[in-house]
């Protein structure tokens, strides 16, 4: 808020609407310490913290330059300052989030490339489906992280300053200019922007935010877009966390965090704490986003309640996504992958994970109905009696004409889950062709 107030006075000074000495005095005073707790308590009387802040800032400026104090907050309304401050906070928070997402994507690129052909069970509805590769799974995580990065980058670039005055017309700035005899308030005859347009541009330049086409006191697109991007980012990271949590289960054991968390009661535990924290954030941010979307229905030129309802959920959503992005960067940098355990799990069902491939081969020999009958019978013996699927199929085909077309070598190859990768490796290549932003570059 102090940055927003100082930028406003500097923008007015740049247009001749305030003395340059006043801009210097306000900017200097804005760096002094203020009591945030006291401001919060006093904010209740006006419904927002800008009112007490303006009083304290005005007093601080007056201590330096009595005449400059008149130019603190001149022409603005509280929402101008708080909305601009909110966008500044969001911009600074997103720069950190974007850097962490870029680090995460880079780590996942390395993991996906290293495990491009590492076979593992694919799982659908909690059960083994068909084989996949861990590289493809990691490439999918990376794709979601890059999608989140793209959305947040676009939102970050569009974060606007807010300046409209009491009801979004910028009328007070014209009034002060006219009272001071400043000619700048008149529209130029050649069609150049009037005072309001020039002031919007100057203010945006001073804050480093985007110049808005209109004051957006009740046009809450910037906040709604940010809410959606934050909710998407939380969910994208949450998908990766959900997979890591599943694959880290003791009975699965295909991945583990680089350094798990301990337990207060069980010395053997190494809990996947980073994935746990990310999963917790992913469950909370959509609810915060729902409140922010609800605030779009803001009445009149300045709303009562809708604007105020944004403050806490937006702060919370930024905090949660910031924490999740940091945890994701740490998780992916240290993730341990166990290909041997993946191969063991591929064999856990005695060959049943290959039935899709077997169905295609048998259908070509016997027709679909007969192939399904043979496989159903063999699969039932494997699942219920623990008979290896190879032996069950041999028994089912003992007197069948198709048996001759399925000698031992071919049948064992059809039953080899590591020999059924489909296009997994090529899909990894396809996914990794998408570049990620350099985490060292500023957003």
């Amino acid at each position: 808020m102090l940055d927003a107030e100082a930028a406003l006075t500097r923008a007015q000074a740049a247009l001749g609407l305030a003395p340059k000495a006043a801009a210097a005095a306000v900017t200097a005073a804005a760096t002094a310490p203020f009591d945030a707790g006291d401001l919060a308590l006093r904010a209740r009387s006006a419904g927002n913290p800008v009112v007490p802040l303006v009083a304290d800032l005005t007093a601080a400026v007056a201590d330096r330059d009595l005449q400059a104090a008149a130019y603190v907050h001149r022409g603005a309304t509280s929402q101008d300052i708080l909305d601009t401050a909110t966008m500044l906070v969001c911009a600074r928070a997103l720069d950190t989030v974007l850097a962490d997402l870029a680090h995460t994507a880079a780590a996942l690129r390395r993991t996906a490339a290293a495990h491009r052909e590492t076979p593992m069970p694919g799982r659908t509805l909690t059960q083994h489906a068909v084989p996949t590769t861990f590289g493809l799974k990691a490439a999918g995580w990376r794709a979601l992280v890059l999608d989140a990065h793209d959305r947040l980058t676009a939102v970050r670039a569009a974060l606007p300053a807010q300046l409209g005055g009491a009801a979004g017309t910028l009328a007070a700035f014209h009034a002060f200019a006219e009272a001071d005899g400043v000619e700048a308030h008149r529209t130029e005859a050649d069609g150049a922007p009037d005072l309001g347009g020039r002031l919007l541009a100057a203010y945006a330049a001073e804050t480093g935010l985007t110049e808005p086409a209109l004051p957006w006191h009740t046009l809450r697109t910037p906040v709604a877009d940010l809410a959606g991007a934050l909710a998407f980012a939380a969910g994208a990271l949450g998908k990766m966390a959900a997979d890591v949590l599943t694959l880290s289960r003791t009975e699965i054991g295909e991945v583990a965090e680089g350094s798990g968390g301990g337990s207060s009661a069980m010395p053997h535990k190494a809990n996947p704490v980073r994935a746990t924290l990310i999963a917790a954030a992913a469950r909370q941010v959509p609810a915060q986003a729902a409140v922010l979307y609800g605030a779009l229905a803001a009445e009149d030129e300045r709303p009562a309640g809708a604007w105020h309802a944004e403050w806490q959920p937006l702060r919370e959503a930024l905090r949660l996504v910031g924490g999740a992005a940091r945890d994701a960067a740490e998780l992916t940098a240290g993730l341990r992958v166990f290909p041997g355990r993946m191969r063991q799990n591929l064999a856990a069902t005695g060959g049943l994970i290959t039935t899709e491939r077997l169905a295609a081969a048998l259908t070509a020999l016997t027709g679909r109905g007969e192939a399904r009958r043979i496989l159903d019978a063999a699969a039932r013996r494997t699942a219920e009696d623990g008979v290896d699927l190879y032996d069950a199929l041999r028994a089912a085909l003992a007197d069948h004409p198709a048996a001759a077309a399925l000698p031992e070598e071919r049948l064992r190859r059809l039953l080899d889950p590591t020999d059924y990768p489909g296009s997994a490796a090529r899909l990894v290549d396809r996914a990794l062709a998408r570049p990620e932003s350099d985490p060292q570059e500023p957003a």
Side-chain angles (χ1 to χ4, degrees):
M1 290 189 291
L2 291 166
D3 289 343
E5 291 284 6
L8 177 60
T9 311
R10 291 196 303 272
Q12 292 185 72
L15 297 184
L17 304 177
K20 293 191 181 300
V26 174
T27 298
T31 64
F34 291 83
D35 188 336
D38 179 61
L39 289 172
L41 291 172
R42 291 158 57 205
R44 287 190 60 81
S45 63
N48 74 74
V50 179
V51 174
L53 180 69
V54 168
D56 289 358
L57 179 59
T58 301
V61 172
D63 289 341
R64 289 172 165 78
D65 182 340
L66 186 60
Q67 292 184 333
Y71 294 91
V72 174
H73 197 70
R74 196 183 202 206
T77 191
S78 295
Q79 191 170 350
D80 291 332
I81 299 305
L82 192 52
D83 277 349
T84 299
T86 298
M87 295 296 100
L88 288 171
V89 169
C90 290
R92 295 164 189 174
L94 289 180
D95 287 345
T96 300
V97 172
L98 288 168
D100 282 334
L101 290 178
H103 285 298
T104 300
L108 289 173
R109 167 187 281 278
R110 295 189 293 271
T111 299
H115 294 282
R116 177 177 179 270
E117 298 181 1
T118 300
M120 67 175 294
R123 297 173 173 93
T124 62
L125 300 179
T126 76
Q127 308 294 300
H128 280 200
V130 297
T132 184
T133 71
F134 187 69
L136 184 56
K137 184 177 285 290
W141 297 343
R142 177 179 176 271
L144 281 176
V145 170
L146 291 179
D147 289 344
H149 192 281
D150 287 350
R151 284 159 173 76
L152 289 174
T153 297
V155 168
R156 167 67 178 86
L159 294 176
Q162 172 75 284
L163 191 63
T169 65
L170 298 160
F173 299 104
H174 290 268
F176 281 117
E178 186 174 10
D180 291 344
V182 178
E183 292 296 320
H185 76 281
R186 296 189 176 90
T187 303
E188 298 294 339
D190 62 1
D194 73 352
L195 172 66
R198 282 177 284 155
L199 186 56
L200 274 173
Y203 186 47
E206 289 291 340
T207 61
L209 297 168
T210 298
E211 177 187 348
L214 296 170
W216 45 280
H217 294 145
T218 51
L219 309 174
R220 307 305 285 176
T221 301
V223 176
D225 282 349
L226 179 57
L230 289 171
F232 182 91
L237 296 175
K239 156 59 179 170
M240 178 178 68
D243 281 345
V244 170
L245 290 171
T246 297
L247 300 179
S248 298
R249 290 178 181 273
T250 303
E251 58 271 25
I252 296 177
E254 294 175 358
V255 303
E257 291 191 7
S259 57
S263 165
S264 63
M266 296 167 285
H268 70 280
K269 295 295 290 293
N271 296 317
V273 291
R274 293 175 185 83
T276 297
L277 293 172
I278 295 169
R283 285 162 171 78
Q284 296 176 73
V285 177
Q288 311 294 346
V291 176
L292 298 172
Y293 276 117
L296 281 165
E299 74 282 359
D300 301 327
E301 281 61 55
R302 297 272 305 289
W307 173 52
H308 306 74
E310 292 175 347
W311 305 342
Q312 184 172 332
L314 180 55
R315 179 186 65 189
E316 188 71 359
L318 285 168
R319 184 184 71 79
L320 288 165
V321 172
R326 176 205 59 206
D327 289 331
E330 294 177 356
L331 187 159
T332 53
L335 187 67
R336 292 182 291 159
V337 183
F338 306 115
R341 189 60 177 267
M342 293 175 179
R343 284 179 175 268
Q344 291 175 20
N345 289 337
L346 281 169
T349 59
L352 290 177
I353 199 167
T354 62
T355 55
E356 180 186 71
R357 186 185 196 186
L358 288 164
L362 280 172
T363 296
L365 298 173
T366 68
R368 179 182 297 179
E370 179 68 0
R372 185 58 184 262
R373 184 193 67 76
I374 294 169
L375 278 173
D376 283 351
R380 188 161 47 252
R381 285 196 64 198
T382 298
E384 296 177 359
D385 302 330
V387 176
D388 188 83
L389 185 57
Y390 173 84
D391 295 327
L393 278 171
R394 274 295 177 215
L397 292 168
D399 299 316
H400 200 284
L406 289 173
E408 178 180 354
E409 182 180 355
R410 185 185 180 201
L411 186 56
R412 289 199 181 279
R413 187 175 70 82
L414 291 172
L415 284 161
D416 181 1
T418 67
D419 192 48
Y420 190 49
S423 294
R426 295 299 180 88
L427 288 171
V428 173
D429 297 340
R430 181 185 179 96
L432 296 189
R434 179 181 177 183
E436 64 255 6
S437 299
D438 186 341
Q440 302 304 318
E441 293 180 356

